[in-house]
Every structure is written in structure tokens, then in C-alpha cells.
């Protein structure tokens, strides 16, 4: 089972991913947790380049760098984990590229789609949780979070950009309603977690029956 979490920074992805990981582990399931970009040496190196504020990166270079990091991750980590029967929880995946580089940066969506299918090698999550909060709420949460610190290059993009990203997420969720579950991210952590495990249980039940 391959599950991804999507949403703008500060929406609560990592919080919910950790809660879901603990839920799976308490049931004795093997879980592989991945953050994007990252999880391989190459992908972590590319992550540093992408998030660094030292240099500017054109939207197309950004698209290709995220995609290079992703394809290394797919081949080296996700495919082997799927083969071993592990549950994979991914903190961002290909929908981030559609939302951020496509809708956010304004790159041609057909071109983004083509690059995405090369990068993923056709490996897609069966279930994607889009945790939806507005930019203002996400910003407020990040100000109070411990690991906060200075905003990275992506986080500096500003309100207009994140509004387009959110609209993008809403659009792609509607295009693939079987895979996407849109979560109202304004509620408390426990209520969101409850909805997430209900959906996961429903899917597990459907798969095994
Ligand atoms: N449902 C929630 N209600 C209020 N605050 C939350 C909620 N979920 C997460 N947070 C807090 O918001 C901040 C950002 O959450 P995080 O999970 O790191 O978001 P993301 O991974 O999407 O950037 C953290 O300080 C976290 O504790
Ligand atoms: Mg996070």
C-alpha cells in the first residue's frame, strides 16, 4: 500500500504522517517513511540545492531537479519497498510538482505531466490525502512550530503563489477522486487522524475482500 500526503507547508502533513505511521506500527505492519525530496543520497543533495536561498533557480530547472530527485527515489527505495510488501508513507510526491511547478510557477501542465510520468516510472500512490488549509493558517502554524527557523527558498514564494498551489491541489483532487481524499485541515489533529485511519481501514478492507 502506497499512501502520499499533500498540502502546502504548515498544513499538517508531517504530523498526520507520523500519527499514521504509529498506527500501522502498533498493528505490526512494516512501514517505510519517505520525505520528498529526499530519502536517497542523491535526492537529499538535490533537496539542499532546491531549498537553499543562495542561488536562484528557474521554474523549469526547479521542475527537473525535483523530478530527478523523485526518479532516484522511485527506483532505489519505493519500487523495492513495494516489492517487499512494505507500506509506504510519502510526505509529498508527484502531485506536489503538479501543484507547485505547474499551478504555482505556471509551467505548461501538459509538459509537467510528461515529466511527471517519466519521473514516477508509472509508480503512483493508491491513496493520497490532501490536507487543505489556507496560506494564512499555514503561516501561523509554522511561526509557532519548533523546527521553524528561517523560511527556505520554496517557503519564501509568498501568498499569491501559495493560493495558486492550493487551487491546483483542489483541481487535481477533483480530477482523480478515487485516489484523492480531501481533508479539512482546520480541525484538531485527533479528528483528522480519525478520518485518515477510517479511510485507510476502508481501503485495506476493500483490497483484502
Ligand atoms: N490539526 C492541527 N491543528 C493545529 N496545529 C497543527 C495541526 N496539525 C499540525 N499542527 C501544527 O502545525 C505545524 C505544522 O505542521 P506540520 O505537520 O509540520 O505541517 P507540514 O508537514 O504540512 O509542513 C506544527 O507545529 C504542528 O504541530
Ligand atoms: Mg512537513
Amino acid at each position: 500500500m502506497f499512501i502520499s500526503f499533500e498540502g502546502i507547508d504548515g498544513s499538517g502533513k508531517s504530523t498526520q504522517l507520523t500519527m499514521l505511521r504509529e498506527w500501522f506500527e502498533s498493528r505490526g505492519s512494516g512501514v517505510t517513511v519517505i520525505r520528498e525530496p529526499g530519502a536517497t543520497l542523491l535526492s537529499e543533495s538535490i533537496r539542499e540545492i532546491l531549498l537553499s536561498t543562495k542561488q536562484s533557480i528557474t521554474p523549469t530547472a526547479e521542475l527537473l531537479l525535483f523530478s530527478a530527485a523523485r526518479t532516484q527515489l522511485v527506483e532505489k527505495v519505493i519500487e523495492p519497498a513495494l516489492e517487499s510488501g512494505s507500506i509506504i508513507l510519502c510526505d509529498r510526491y508527484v502531485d506536489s510538482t503538479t501543484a507547485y511547478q505547474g499551478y504555482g510557477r505556471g509551467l505548461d501542465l501538459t509538459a509537467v505531466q510528461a515529466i511527471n510520468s517519466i519521473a514516477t516510472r508509472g509508480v503512483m500512490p493508491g491513496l493520497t490525502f490532501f490536507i487543505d488549509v489556507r496560506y494564512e493558517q499555514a503561516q501561523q502554524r509554522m511561526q509557532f512550530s519548533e523546527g521553524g527557523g528561517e523560511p527556505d527558498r520554496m517557503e519564501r514564494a509568498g501568498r499569491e503563489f501559495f493560493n495558486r498551489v492550493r487551487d491546483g491541489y483542489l483541481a487535481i483532487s477533483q480530477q482523480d477522486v478515487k485516489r484523492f481524499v480531501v481533508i479539512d485541515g482546520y480541525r484538531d489533529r485527533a479528528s483528522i487522524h480519525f478520518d485518515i485511519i477510517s479511510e485507510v481501514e476502508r481501503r485495506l478492507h476493500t483490497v483484502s475482500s
Side-chain angles (χ1 to χ4, degrees):
M1 193 176 209
F2 177 9
I3 302 173
S4 63
F5 287 79
E6 295 286 353
I8 60 175
D9 284 303
S11 57
K13 298 181 297 299
S14 304
T15 302
Q16 290 302 326
L17 189 147
T18 302
M19 291 171 90
L20 184 60
R21 183 187 77 202
E22 285 164 3
W23 180 81
F24 271 119
E25 285 172 351
S26 73
R27 293 161 47 107
S29 306
V31 187
T32 304
V33 172
I34 291 162
R35 71 160 180 186
E36 262 234 47
T40 71
L41 272 178
L42 176 69
S43 312
E44 289 290 344
S45 305
I46 295 175
R47 179 189 183 90
E48 266 182 46
I49 296 171
L50 277 165
L51 300 187
S52 160
T53 50
K54 284 192 204 128
Q55 74 257 307
S56 72
I57 302 179
T58 70
T60 304
E62 186 178 286
L63 167 70
L64 294 173
L65 282 166
F66 273 113
S67 302
R70 178 166 308 125
T71 201
Q72 182 85 1
L73 168 71
V74 170
E75 218 170 319
K76 296 281 183 194
V77 182
I78 297 182
E79 286 179 341
L82 280 174
E83 265 163 44
S84 75
S86 173
I87 287 163
I88 298 171
L89 303 182
C90 222
D91 198 334
R92 297 193 177 285
Y93 192 58
V94 67
D95 302 304
S96 286
T97 292
T98 310
Y100 281 72
Q101 282 70 53
Y103 287 86
R105 301 286 190 216
L107 291 177
D108 178 67
L109 289 174
T110 313
V112 170
Q113 227 55 65
I115 300 289
N116 280 348
S117 65
I118 293 171
T120 59
R121 303 157 52 86
V123 176
M124 288 296 286
L127 180 57
T128 298
F129 292 106
F130 163 44
I131 306 179
D132 184 29
V133 299
R134 285 177 184 280
Y135 172 73
E136 290 75 12
Q137 178 76 14
Q139 283 292 102
Q140 215 178 353
R141 284 184 185 174
M142 293 211 296
Q143 270 169 12
F144 295 109
S145 82
E146 294 138 33
E150 285 293 294
D152 64 40
R153 198 184 59 84
M154 294 302 295
E155 288 165 356
R156 288 185 182 201
R159 177 196 312 264
E160 290 302 306
F161 175 78
F162 283 103
N163 285 342
R164 289 197 298 276
V165 171
R166 174 173 179 254
D167 289 345
Y169 272 130
L170 288 169
I172 52 183
S173 315
Q174 279 157 20
Q175 284 157 20
D176 195 350
V177 292
K178 270 182 87 179
R179 176 165 66 87
F180 270 95
V181 175
V182 181
I183 299 278
D184 173 0
Y186 285 92
R187 291 164 312 134
D188 61 90
R189 294 169 181 79
S191 309
I192 296 174
H193 177 61
F194 180 81
D195 281 3
I196 287 177
I197 57 173
S198 305
E199 187 61 35
V200 168
E201 278 187 318
R202 201 174 69 76
R203 304 272 175 139
L204 284 173
H205 183 73
T206 315
V207 169
S208 58
S209 62

